[in-house]
Structures are given as structure tokens and as C-alpha cells.
């Protein structure tokens, strides 16, 4: 029984790991880009930009991730946009976590002292240069810890892609479960372990990045 | 650096203006060339405030200020805290927008531009162009904490003036050398004392070669023993001559030593102005007399 578990089921479960990691990486990339786009847009000088960004962020945060995923994968084809499973999952996850990430970006930028902006104006940096070279580099270390949390949330959120049949860890596991119901407890325990190990890996990376960014300064 | 400062008794000065304070007499020559030029009306002011008003909500901080500063002139602004003197500098650096009135720098409107014959609010492009003429050193230094000292000084020349890196570094090291901190080039701001930070901030502003430099209470945040090194650096820059300077300060002896003209602001208005030799020895207005009196009492008590 134990042999079956370790020799057959665990390897099959692990074959889902690359897809989970891939979904997480692409999702994170999209989420990071959108975090900055929405976060900066909500700090824009122009009320129209601020308003549009706020409405979008609230719309995304106010609807559930799984409904968004289903909408993108099942409803969008009826509107003429047919997406394969991975892109659909990446978009749903990236947009959703990007909306949450925008709040992190926004508040980290607001936490940079006003005087830094003034010093940059006095040196005649233009508004892009002020953001890019003075404000954001100082906001970045502040963003990392909450981004780490959000990234772990995102990793765990990738399991929802099971519902559209994307072959990641959870999906691979659930398809095995039907054949090995008597191993239900070890199978679900194994799932916990896999997600836990992946989360720890992500957090480790963030700790390393935090140390790198903090080195030498402040 | 002498910290002690004796203001000659108002009464005694009337009779014997040069004898009351031995130190003061050294500075009596400082009748500014600029002022005589202004009297002839031949020099265009570098900075011109025209009926400047500034309110923050209900509070009117500046209540109609008119002030011309001539090219190369060193103008010290003194006054009680809350008098609006810092706001004056912040308006000139475009950090605050005047509620009404105009500011001209080098013959051009700062906060306005002409469009189809009408004066309209300046856009970013205009402000950007005007800011290249103006520099500022802040009370709290405002160095960039994420950059080394060298990067703090080279960043603006490289990004804003599009200077080549090695050229910017050469210039930056020259300026850091001028303020005595070239050996700190690879340190971060957090590793420096307040006085050192402020000297770096001065080098950072100088490297952009502004025509007008604003020093906004640059020693107010420093420990007393560090004030001297910063003032010495500013005196040296002032001695170079060409730069127009607006020195917002609490350091009376510094104002006396460096300034061609002293402006006394109280309650949002210029109450009195003149050469330091007169302002500090023969204040005319009651406000200035009591301000200097309080200042002296504070010094004596220290």
C-alpha cells in the first residue's frame, strides 16, 4: 500500500508541479505588472486616470477569483475570444492578484517621505524620473514583505485552475484519487506537503531579495 | 567658527556706529554693488516677487510680498517662525504654487506663461525649463538614502543634464572636494553626520549650476557643533560671487557676514530691509527691534 503511494501516486502528483510553478510564475509576472500599472494609475495627477483605475480595482476585488476564471474560460469564447487553459488561468490569476498588489504599490509609494519628491524637483528631475529613480527604488523594499505574502496566496490560488482542467498539482492528484480512494488520507496529506514546500521556497526567495535590497543602505 | 554674536545696542549706534562692535565694523564695507546698480535701475533682477500671496486653506501665510533680487546678490531672509519666510523659498523652487501674484526668474515668469497674449498657468514643460535656473538646499538635507554619496551628486547631472557618467563623476568629486567630503564618496547618507549630509546636499545642488540658490534654514536641524562647518562652506560659495542666493536663516551672524541685504519678514509681509550693517544695528521697526531683542536674550541665555 505504501509502495503504491510512493512509487505510483506521488510521482504522478509531482508531475503537476512544473505546471503549478509555471502558472505561478506567469501569474506573478502579470500580477506584478498590473500592480504597478494600477498602483501608479491610482496616484496619477489626472482624476480620470485615478477614477478608472479605482473602479477597475474595486470591480476585480469585488468578484471571486473562481468566477472570474470561469468567465474567462467559459463565457469569453461565446464573445468570440477563445483562450487555452494556461493563458486563461494566468489572466484570471494575474488580474486578480494584480488588483490586490496595486494597493501594496500605492501605499508603499505614499510612504516615501514627501521631501524626497521635493528634493528631486529641486534637482529638476521630470515626473517619470522622480518615480523611476527616486521614489520607486525607495518604495520597493517596503513592498517586498507584503508582496511575499500575496505571492504565497497566489501560489495557493493556482489550485483553482483544477476547475478548468489544467494539469497542475491539484488536478493531477484529483484524477488519481478516483482509483485509490483507500489512500485518500495520504494523498491529501501529500498535497498539503507539496503546497507547503512550494510556499516555503517562495518565502525563502523573498527573504533573500529583502536582504539584497537592504544591503548597504538606510 | 564664532558662535557668539553681539548686536550693538540700538541707542549707542546712533552716536558711534562703527565702534560699538569691533567685529561688525569689518563688515561695513559690504554695501552691495547690486544695490547701487538697482538704484541706477540698470540691472534686471534675477528674481522678482510681485504682490505674492499664499494661503494654506484659511491661513494666509504671505500677504503680498514684493521683492527684487539682483544677479549675484546674497539676500538673507530672517523672521520669526511661521512668518512665511520658508514659504517664500518654496514658491521660488516651485514646490508650492502662489495663490496670487507673479514670480519672475531671469526675466521670465516662473508660475505663468504667455499663451495667445494671455497669462496662463505654467505647464510642466515650462516649469521644467525654469527649474534649471534654480537650486535648493533643504533644512532636512533630503539626500537620497538608497544611493551612495557619489550617486547622490551624479544622479541629476546624468539623468537631467544627460551628462556622461565619467564627466559627471569628475564634476561631482570636484564639488565633494569643495565641501571636504570626497573621501565619503562610497558611503551611504545614513553613515554621515548631519553636517556632512548637509554639505553633500550643497554639493548635489551646486553640481547643477543653478543661477539662483535657495538655502532654507540649512543649519536648523543640525547639532550646534556642526553648524559651523556648513556655514563655512556656504560662505566660501558666496565668496565666489556670481551665484544669486536666497538665504532663509536663523543664524544672525551668518546673515550679517554673508548677505548683501537682509529682509525681515513678519506675519507674511516684508517689514524692513536693508544692508546687514544697518538692519542689525539700527532696526527701525518695532517688530524687528523686538525680534532681535528676543534673539539676543536667547543667545545670552544659552
Amino acid at each position: 500500500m505504501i509502495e503504491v503511494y510512493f512509487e505510483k501516486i506521488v510521482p504522478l502528483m509531482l508531475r503537476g508541479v512544473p505546471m503549478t510553478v509555471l502558472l505561478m510564475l506567469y501569474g506573478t509576472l502579470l500580477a506584478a505588472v498590473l500592480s504597478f500599472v494600477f498602483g501608479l494609475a491610482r496616484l496619477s495627477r489626472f482624476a480620470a486616470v485615478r477614477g478608472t483605475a479605482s473602479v477597475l480595482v474595486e470591480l476585480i476585488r469585488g468578484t471571486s477569483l473562481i468566477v472570474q476564471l470561469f468567465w474567462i474560460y467559459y463565457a469569453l469564447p461565446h464573445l468570440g475570444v477563445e483562450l487555452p487553459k494556461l493563458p486563461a488561468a494566468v489572466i484570471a490569476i494575474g488580474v486578480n492578484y494584480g488588483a490586490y498588489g496595486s494597493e501594496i504599490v500605492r501605499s508603499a509609494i505614499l510612504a516615501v517621505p514627501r521631501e524626497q519628491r521635493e528634493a528631486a524637483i529641486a534637482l529638476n528631475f521630470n515626473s517619470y524620473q522622480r518615480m523611476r529613480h527616486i521614489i520607486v527604488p525607495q518604495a520597493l523594499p517596503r513592498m517586498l514583505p507584503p508582496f511575499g505574502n500575496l505571492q504565497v496566496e497566489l501560489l495557493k490560488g493556482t489550485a483553482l485552475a483544477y476547475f478548468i482542467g489544467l494539469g497542475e498539482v491539484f488536478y493531477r492528484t484529483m484524477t488519481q484519487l478516483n482509483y485509490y480512494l483507500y489512500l485518500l488520507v495520504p494523498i491529501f496529506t501529500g498535497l498539503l506537503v507539496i503546497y507547503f514546500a512550494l510556499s516555503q521556497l517562495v518565502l525563502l526567495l523573498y527573504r533573500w531579495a529583502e536582504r539584497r535590497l537592504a544591503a548597504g543602505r538606510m | 567658527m564664532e558662535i557668539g554674536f553681539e548686536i550693538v545696542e540700538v541707542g549707542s549706534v546712533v552716536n558711534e556706529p562703527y565702534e560699538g562692535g569691533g567685529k561688525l565694523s569689518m563688515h561695513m564695507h559690504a554695501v552691495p554693488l547690486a544695490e547701487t546698480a538697482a538704484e541706477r535701475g540698470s540691472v534686471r533682477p534675477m528674481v522678482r516677487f510681485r504682490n505674492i500671496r499664499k494661503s494654506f486653506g484659511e491661513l494666509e501665510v504671505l500677504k503680498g510680498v514684493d521683492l527684487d533680487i539682483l544677479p549675484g546678490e546674497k539676500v538673507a531672509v530672517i523672521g520669526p517662525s511661521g512668518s512665511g519666510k520658508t514659504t517664500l523659498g518654496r514658491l521660488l523652487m516651485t514646490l508650492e504654487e502662489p495663490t496670487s501674484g507673479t514670480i519672475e526668474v531671469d526675466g521670465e515668469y516662473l508660475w505663468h506663461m504667455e499663451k495667445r497674449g494671455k497669462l496662463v498657468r505654467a505647464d510642466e514643460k515650462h516649469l521644467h525649463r525654469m527649474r534649471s535656473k534654480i537650486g535648493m538646499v533643504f533644512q532636512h538635507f533630503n539626500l537620497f538614502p538608497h544611493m551612495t554619496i557619489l550617486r547622490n551628486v551624479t544622479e541629476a547631472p546624468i539623468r537631467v543634464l544627460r551628462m556622461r557618467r565619467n564627466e559627471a563623476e569628475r564634476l561631482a568629486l570636484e564639488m565633494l572636494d569643495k565641501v571636504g567630503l570626497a573621501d565619503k564618496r562610497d558611503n551611504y547618507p545614513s553613515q554621515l553626520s548631519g553636517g556632512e549630509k548637509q554639505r553633500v546636499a550643497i554639493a548635489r545642488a551646486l553640481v547643477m549650476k543653478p543661477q539662483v540658490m535657495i538655502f532654507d534654514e540649512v543649519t536648523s536641524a543640525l547639532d550646534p557643533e556642526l553648524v559651523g562647518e556648513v556655514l563655512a562652506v556656504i560662505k566660501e560659495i558666496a565668496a565666489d560671487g556670481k551665484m544669486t542666493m536666497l538665504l532663509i536663516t536663523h543664524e544672525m551672524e551668518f546673515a550679517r557676514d554673508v548677505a548683501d541685504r537682509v529682509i525681515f519678514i513678519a506675519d507674511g509681509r516684508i517689514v524692513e530691509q536693508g544692508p546687514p550693517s544697518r538692519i542689525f544695528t539700527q532696526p527701525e521697526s518695532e517688530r524687528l527691534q523686538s525680534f532681535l531683542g528676543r534673539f539676543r536674550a536667547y543667545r545670552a541665555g544659552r
Side-chain angles (χ1 to χ4, degrees), chain B residues 54-68:
Chain B
K54 176 65 183 175
S55 301
F56 295 100
E58 294 285 285
L59 183 72
E60 191 169 38
V61 178
L62 291 176
K63 300 169 181 168
V65 169
D66 289 284
L67 173 63
D68 284 358

Side-chain angles (χ1 to χ4, degrees), chain A residues 45 114-127 129-130 132-138 215-218, chain B residues 90 93-95 124 128 131-132 134-136 138 142-147 155-156 159-160 162 188 190 204-205 208:
Chain A
R45 257 178 299 155
R114 188 185 53 139
E115 288 79 9
Q116 289 291 311
R117 179 175 167 272
E118 294 181 348
I121 289 176
L123 292 167
N124 208 9
F125 286 95
N126 64 33
S127 55
Q129 291 166 332
R130 292 200 291 268
R132 168 69 186 77
H133 300 292
I134 307 300
I135 309 295
V136 168
Q138 292 184 59
R217 5 168 120 165
M218 318 291 172
Chain B
R90 290 174 60 81
M93 192 62 257
T94 70
L95 300 176
E124 267 303 307
H128 184 70
R131 281 177 194 139
S132 68
I134 311 161
M136 183 161 180
F138 298 86
N142 303 355
L143 293 181
F144 303 131
H146 60 299
M147 296 178 184
E155 193 70 0
R159 307 275 177 214
V160 179
R162 308 252 164 242
Y188 281 86
S190 61
R204 182 177 71 168
M208 296 300 280

Side-chain angles (χ1 to χ4, degrees), chain B residues 9-276:
Chain B
E9 287 298 328
V10 176
S12 71
V13 166
V14 178
N15 298 325
E16 19 177 35
Y18 295 98
E19 286 167 26
K23 268 180 274 167
L24 270 184
S25 60
M26 283 171 53
H27 306 286
M28 295 305 283
H29 70 278
V31 175
L33 288 173
E35 189 167 277
T36 48
E39 281 158 9
R40 278 185 271 118
S42 61
V43 177
R44 184 176 71 188
M46 177 58 75
V47 177
R48 166 168 279 192
F49 292 89
R50 275 287 164 270
N51 197 19
I52 282 291
R53 288 170 180 274
K54 176 65 183 175
S55 301
F56 295 100
E58 294 285 285
L59 183 72
E60 191 169 38
V61 178
L62 291 176
K63 300 169 181 168
V65 169
D66 289 284
L67 173 63
D68 284 358
I69 304 174
L70 296 169
E73 194 181 11
K74 284 44 170 164
V75 172
V77 182
I78 61 170
S81 52
S83 59
K85 55 188 194 300
T86 282
T87 303
L88 207 60
R90 290 174 60 81
L91 292 171
L92 181 56
M93 192 62 257
T94 70
L95 300 176
E96 308 279 359
E97 188 174 353
T99 307
S100 71
T102 59
I103 302 173
E104 288 166 52
V105 175
D106 199 17
E108 275 185 278
Y109 286 114
L110 179 66
W111 275 106
H112 302 82
M113 53 188 203
E114 277 167 73
K115 218 174 189 176
R116 288 183 223 98
K118 272 169 69 179
L119 219 51
V120 297
R121 187 181 185 279
D123 57 17
E124 267 303 307
K125 206 177 133 201
H126 177 85
L127 288 176
H128 184 70
R129 194 165 56 77
M130 295 304 288
R131 281 177 194 139
S132 68
K133 302 169 193 281
I134 311 161
M136 183 161 180
V137 181
F138 298 86
Q139 181 177 355
H140 295 286
F141 337 126
N142 303 355
L143 293 181
F144 303 131
H146 60 299
M147 296 178 184
T148 62
I149 298 310
L150 186 64
R151 274 281 303 282
N152 261 278
V153 185
T154 58
E155 193 70 0
I158 290 172
R159 307 275 177 214
V160 179
L161 306 179
R162 308 252 164 242
M163 203 181 279
R164 296 228 315 275
R165 181 169 294 276
N166 54 7
E167 170 70 4
E169 287 186 353
R170 192 187 58 74
L171 193 63
L173 286 171
E174 196 180 293
M175 290 301 170
L176 284 173
D177 197 42
K178 199 171 186 169
V179 301
L181 288 170
D183 59 323
K184 301 282 186 190
R185 53 176 288 177
D186 295 322
N187 286 90
Y188 281 86
S190 61
Q191 298 164 315
L192 269 56
S193 74
E196 288 170 335
K197 282 183 203 170
Q198 195 57 294
R199 280 146 64 199
V200 171
I202 291 169
R204 182 177 71 168
L206 278 180
V207 85
M208 296 300 280
K209 301 209 181 332
Q211 296 173 48
V212 185
M213 186 83 100
I214 305 153
F215 292 89
D216 182 20
E217 301 196 25
V218 291
T219 58
S220 299
L222 296 178
D223 292 336
E225 74 270 22
L226 302 177
V227 169
E229 63 186 65
V230 171
L231 295 186
V233 163
I234 297 174
K235 276 183 197 170
E236 204 184 309
I237 299 161
D240 285 354
K242 273 199 293 192
M243 192 180 283
T244 308
M245 290 186 177
L246 186 64
L247 304 139
I248 298 150
T249 187
H250 282 126
E251 301 286 331
M252 298 304 155
E253 59 272 28
F254 170 66
R256 184 197 65 190
D257 288 356
V258 173
D260 301 315
R261 180 156 52 121
V262 176
I263 309 285
F264 173 62
I265 292 193
D267 291 333
R269 289 191 180 86
I270 294 180
V271 175
E272 192 171 337
Q273 59 175 305

